[in-house]
Amino acid sequence: MIEVHRTIRTPPERIFAVLADGWSYASWVVGAAHIRAVDAGWPAVGTRVHHRLGPWPLQINDRTVVGEMEPNRLLELEAHAGPLGIARVRLTLENISDTTTRIRMGWMAVSGAARYIPEAVLSLMLRPRNSETLHRVDDLAVHRELNPPHVRH
């Protein structure tokens, strides 16, 4: 499993709020381009985010499915990426203090073409990408307003 981690100066509840918002998925997952739909109940086990991957006009319609979830502690995803296959992505939150959380992101190919790429090569490609993913989670968790006021038009 390829793993990266980041220490974020916010409690795990704020980080999990980002992960639990299926509509924000394309904001923090590097490579996700557009959210097409989010199943009701996300991130309950078995629910899906339907998304597009890649740059336009070469986008692939695909999905990510929740495999395991413990609020404010764990979110395991089965990320589908067309012909590249399926990856298991495990995001764990470790409370370090009242104001600090360590998030770990583990990535492992479980099917498709990515399983045939040597782990050392995958690691060179994915560590920077996954580190950027956690950087985006950090920005959203620390800076976004969790319950924005209702705007009237």
Side-chain angles (χ1 to χ4, degrees):
M1 182 168 277
I2 297 165
E3 186 174 283
V4 296
H5 63 88
R6 184 175 185 90
T7 300
I8 302 176
R9 293 182 180 219
T10 197
E13 296 81 14
R14 287 190 60 91
I15 297 169
F16 198 80
V18 171
L19 305 178
D21 176 4
W23 290 102
S24 78
Y25 187 83
S27 298
W28 56 272
V29 175
V30 175
H34 174 75
I35 303 303
R36 298 177 293 122
V38 177
D39 287 359
W42 172 271
V45 173
T47 58
R48 299 164 296 183
V49 169
H50 305 268
H51 51 77
R52 288 192 186 119
L53 295 172
W56 184 89
L58 305 173
Q59 293 179 335
I60 300 167
N61 285 343
D62 229 321
R63 68 195 176 283
T64 294
V65 183
V66 177
E68 190 177 343
M69 187 273 292
E70 293 178 38
N72 303 323
R73 197 181 96 59
L74 170 71
L75 185 61
E76 186 172 281
L77 304 171
E78 190 176 88
H80 295 243
L84 292 175
I86 300 171
R88 181 170 298 118
V89 179
R90 188 171 181 89
L91 297 150
T92 56
L93 306 176
E94 176 189 349
N95 193 11
I96 295 172
S97 74
D98 290 345
T99 60
T100 307
T101 306
R102 179 173 297 117
I103 182 170
R104 294 184 186 279
M105 179 180 180
W107 188 101
M108 181 174 69
V110 294
S111 74
R115 286 187 60 204
Y116 301 103
I117 300 172
E119 188 168 337
V121 174
L122 277 175
S123 184
L124 285 172
M125 295 183 327
L126 290 174
R127 281 187 190 281
R129 175 215 181 250
N130 293 350
S131 291
E132 173 60 20
T133 291
L134 294 187
H135 184 87
R136 293 177 183 192
V137 169
D138 183 338
D139 286 342
L140 289 167
V142 171
H143 299 292
R144 83 174 184 159
E145 198 172 334
L146 293 181
N147 294 309
H150 181 70
V151 178
R152 291 187 178 177
H153 296 279

